[in-house]
Amino acid sequence: MLRFVNLSRALALAGVLVLPLMVPQIAQADPRGKAENADISRGRYLATIGGCNDCHTPNYPETAGKVPESAWLTGNSVGWKGPWGVSYPANLRLSVQQHSEDEWIALASSPLRPPMPWFNLREMAEPDKRALYRFIRSLGPAGQAAPLALPPGAVAATPVISFE
Ligand code: HEC
């Protein structure tokens, strides 16, 4: 009996010693995959707290965020009407497919129609912008392109939220 206890203790101890040695080996086996996963989680976090879903995901504000991730960032056909005309939150799931990472980052930080807060996004640290792009790309393409923006004074065929 005493022997048995000692054996199981010895095994448990060996487990404790071996496990920490194994973990770094597993991590080293696929360092790129690990960095990618970290980027994707960070991108998901940034998209959530950065409010991207508020405009780019249908029904997100109305349901207090209870929209499955499969429908996130697919754009919105409810327009925003103001002195700039009518703008539609783009389908980011499609836009990341059409642009390389660098192109998308430049696009997301250059002047866009209101109410897109491009001036806030411009200030985001570059690694964070890359993480956002990688997260959105990881979701895959989905949905339809948002309607094209309209010039000032044009009448929209879709529902609009009016700033006027
Ligand atoms: C208040 C609403 C609103 C919020 C919040 C918002 N957007 Fe937008 N976004 C828009 C609108 C409207 C457009 C279309 C602008 C235009 O037509 O010039 C747009 C356009 C874009 C574009 C250009 C895409 C293309 O393919 O033309 C990118 C990229 C983008 N948004 C990224 C983001 C990201 C990332 C976030 C979160 C950090 C975000 N947006 C938050 C409303 C919003």
mmCIF file of all heavy atoms in Angstrom, residues 19 24 29 35 51 61 81 83 101 103 119 126 149 151-153 159:
data_model
loop_
_atom_site.group_PDB
_atom_site.id
_atom_site.type_symbol
_atom_site.label_atom_id
_atom_site.label_comp_id
_atom_site.label_asym_id
_atom_site.label_seq_id
_atom_site.Cartn_x
_atom_site.Cartn_y
_atom_site.Cartn_z
ATOM 1 N N LEU A 19 4.789 18.713 -17.318
ATOM 2 C CA LEU A 19 3.814 19.584 -17.980
ATOM 3 C C LEU A 19 4.385 20.964 -18.336
ATOM 4 O O LEU A 19 4.329 21.370 -19.496
ATOM 5 C CB LEU A 19 2.560 19.695 -17.110
ATOM 6 C CG LEU A 19 1.311 19.973 -17.896
ATOM 7 C CD1 LEU A 19 0.998 18.799 -18.827
ATOM 8 C CD2 LEU A 19 0.136 20.199 -16.954
ATOM 9 N N PRO A 24 5.856 25.085 -23.282
ATOM 10 C CA PRO A 24 6.588 25.953 -24.214
ATOM 11 C C PRO A 24 6.901 25.253 -25.526
ATOM 12 O O PRO A 24 6.953 25.884 -26.560
ATOM 13 C CB PRO A 24 7.885 26.275 -23.467
ATOM 14 C CG PRO A 24 7.677 25.869 -22.072
ATOM 15 C CD PRO A 24 6.555 24.877 -22.028
ATOM 16 N N ALA A 29 5.998 25.120 -31.338
ATOM 17 C CA ALA A 29 5.741 24.347 -32.541
ATOM 18 C C ALA A 29 5.011 25.186 -33.592
ATOM 19 O O ALA A 29 5.205 24.994 -34.771
ATOM 20 C CB ALA A 29 4.928 23.113 -32.200
ATOM 21 N N ALA A 35 0.371 33.712 -32.725
ATOM 22 C CA ALA A 35 0.308 35.169 -32.894
ATOM 23 C C ALA A 35 -0.960 35.545 -33.654
ATOM 24 O O ALA A 35 -1.612 36.537 -33.343
ATOM 25 C CB ALA A 35 1.545 35.651 -33.642
ATOM 26 N N GLY A 51 -17.062 50.040 -31.142
ATOM 27 C CA GLY A 51 -18.390 50.431 -31.631
ATOM 28 C C GLY A 51 -18.624 50.165 -33.111
ATOM 29 O O GLY A 51 -19.602 50.658 -33.673
ATOM 30 N N PRO A 61 -27.433 47.723 -32.212
ATOM 31 C CA PRO A 61 -27.823 48.570 -31.069
ATOM 32 C C PRO A 61 -29.222 48.219 -30.546
ATOM 33 O O PRO A 61 -29.444 48.227 -29.335
ATOM 34 C CB PRO A 61 -27.810 50.000 -31.635
ATOM 35 C CG PRO A 61 -27.147 49.913 -32.954
ATOM 36 C CD PRO A 61 -27.260 48.505 -33.443
ATOM 37 N N LYS A 81 -28.610 60.273 -43.431
ATOM 38 C CA LYS A 81 -28.848 61.420 -44.322
ATOM 39 C C LYS A 81 -28.447 62.715 -43.641
ATOM 40 O O LYS A 81 -28.783 62.948 -42.469
ATOM 41 C CB LYS A 81 -30.343 61.453 -44.663
ATOM 42 C CG LYS A 81 -30.745 62.503 -45.668
ATOM 43 C CD LYS A 81 -32.209 62.287 -46.051
ATOM 44 C CE LYS A 81 -32.827 63.464 -46.766
ATOM 45 N NZ LYS A 81 -32.060 63.988 -47.876
ATOM 46 N N PRO A 83 -26.140 66.826 -44.622
ATOM 47 C CA PRO A 83 -25.648 67.732 -45.661
ATOM 48 C C PRO A 83 -24.709 67.041 -46.655
ATOM 49 O O PRO A 83 -24.498 67.536 -47.764
ATOM 50 C CB PRO A 83 -24.900 68.821 -44.873
ATOM 51 C CG PRO A 83 -25.416 68.715 -43.479
ATOM 52 C CD PRO A 83 -25.870 67.297 -43.278
ATOM 53 N N GLU A 101 -4.226 44.165 -46.554
ATOM 54 C CA GLU A 101 -4.218 44.718 -45.193
ATOM 55 C C GLU A 101 -3.797 46.195 -45.199
ATOM 56 O O GLU A 101 -4.456 47.047 -44.598
ATOM 57 C CB GLU A 101 -3.261 43.875 -44.343
ATOM 58 C CG GLU A 101 -3.324 44.190 -42.867
ATOM 59 C CD GLU A 101 -2.617 43.117 -42.042
ATOM 60 O OE1 GLU A 101 -2.988 41.927 -42.148
ATOM 61 O OE2 GLU A 101 -1.703 43.472 -41.299
ATOM 62 N N GLU A 103 -3.841 48.370 -47.698
ATOM 63 C CA GLU A 103 -4.849 49.214 -48.382
ATOM 64 C C GLU A 103 -6.036 49.492 -47.458
ATOM 65 O O GLU A 103 -6.543 50.611 -47.383
ATOM 66 C CB GLU A 103 -5.408 48.484 -49.613
ATOM 67 C CG GLU A 103 -4.531 48.506 -50.827
ATOM 68 C CD GLU A 103 -5.031 47.551 -51.916
ATOM 69 O OE1 GLU A 103 -6.108 46.927 -51.761
ATOM 70 O OE2 GLU A 103 -4.318 47.410 -52.904
ATOM 71 N N PHE A 119 -11.778 59.627 -38.205
ATOM 72 C CA PHE A 119 -10.776 60.452 -37.494
ATOM 73 C C PHE A 119 -10.396 59.814 -36.162
ATOM 74 O O PHE A 119 -9.330 60.079 -35.623
ATOM 75 C CB PHE A 119 -11.311 61.881 -37.297
ATOM 76 C CG PHE A 119 -12.782 61.896 -36.966
ATOM 77 C CD1 PHE A 119 -13.220 61.788 -35.666
ATOM 78 C CD2 PHE A 119 -13.740 61.951 -37.993
ATOM 79 C CE1 PHE A 119 -14.576 61.757 -35.365
ATOM 80 C CE2 PHE A 119 -15.099 61.913 -37.706
ATOM 81 C CZ PHE A 119 -15.522 61.810 -36.389
ATOM 82 N N GLU A 126 -1.171 51.153 -35.090
ATOM 83 C CA GLU A 126 -1.152 50.300 -36.283
ATOM 84 C C GLU A 126 -1.330 48.803 -35.977
ATOM 85 O O GLU A 126 -2.102 48.128 -36.656
ATOM 86 C CB GLU A 126 0.114 50.551 -37.092
ATOM 87 C CG GLU A 126 -0.009 49.917 -38.464
ATOM 88 C CD GLU A 126 1.207 50.114 -39.333
ATOM 89 O OE1 GLU A 126 1.687 51.246 -39.441
ATOM 90 O OE2 GLU A 126 1.671 49.102 -39.902
ATOM 91 N N ALA A 149 -23.432 55.324 -51.796
ATOM 92 C CA ALA A 149 -23.727 56.625 -51.178
ATOM 93 C C ALA A 149 -24.408 57.534 -52.205
ATOM 94 O O ALA A 149 -24.184 57.390 -53.413
ATOM 95 C CB ALA A 149 -22.428 57.244 -50.686
ATOM 96 N N PRO A 151 -25.420 61.670 -53.408
ATOM 97 C CA PRO A 151 -24.937 63.045 -53.241
ATOM 98 C C PRO A 151 -25.951 63.898 -52.464
ATOM 99 O O PRO A 151 -27.116 63.500 -52.329
ATOM 100 C CB PRO A 151 -24.799 63.536 -54.681
ATOM 101 C CG PRO A 151 -25.729 62.684 -55.478
ATOM 102 C CD PRO A 151 -25.821 61.363 -54.782
ATOM 103 N N PRO A 152 -25.522 65.083 -52.000
ATOM 104 C CA PRO A 152 -26.437 65.964 -51.252
ATOM 105 C C PRO A 152 -27.727 66.215 -52.033
ATOM 106 O O PRO A 152 -27.705 66.397 -53.254
ATOM 107 C CB PRO A 152 -25.631 67.253 -51.088
ATOM 108 C CG PRO A 152 -24.206 66.813 -51.179
ATOM 109 C CD PRO A 152 -24.182 65.623 -52.097
ATOM 110 N N GLY A 153 -28.847 66.165 -51.326
ATOM 111 C CA GLY A 153 -30.134 66.487 -51.937
ATOM 112 C C GLY A 153 -30.823 65.304 -52.593
ATOM 113 O O GLY A 153 -32.021 65.362 -52.877
ATOM 114 N N PRO A 159 -34.812 53.211 -46.068
ATOM 115 C CA PRO A 159 -35.010 53.998 -44.845
ATOM 116 C C PRO A 159 -33.729 54.767 -44.507
ATOM 117 O O PRO A 159 -32.625 54.287 -44.840
ATOM 118 C CB PRO A 159 -35.279 52.947 -43.765
ATOM 119 C CG PRO A 159 -35.506 51.656 -44.465
ATOM 120 C CD PRO A 159 -34.918 51.765 -45.841
#
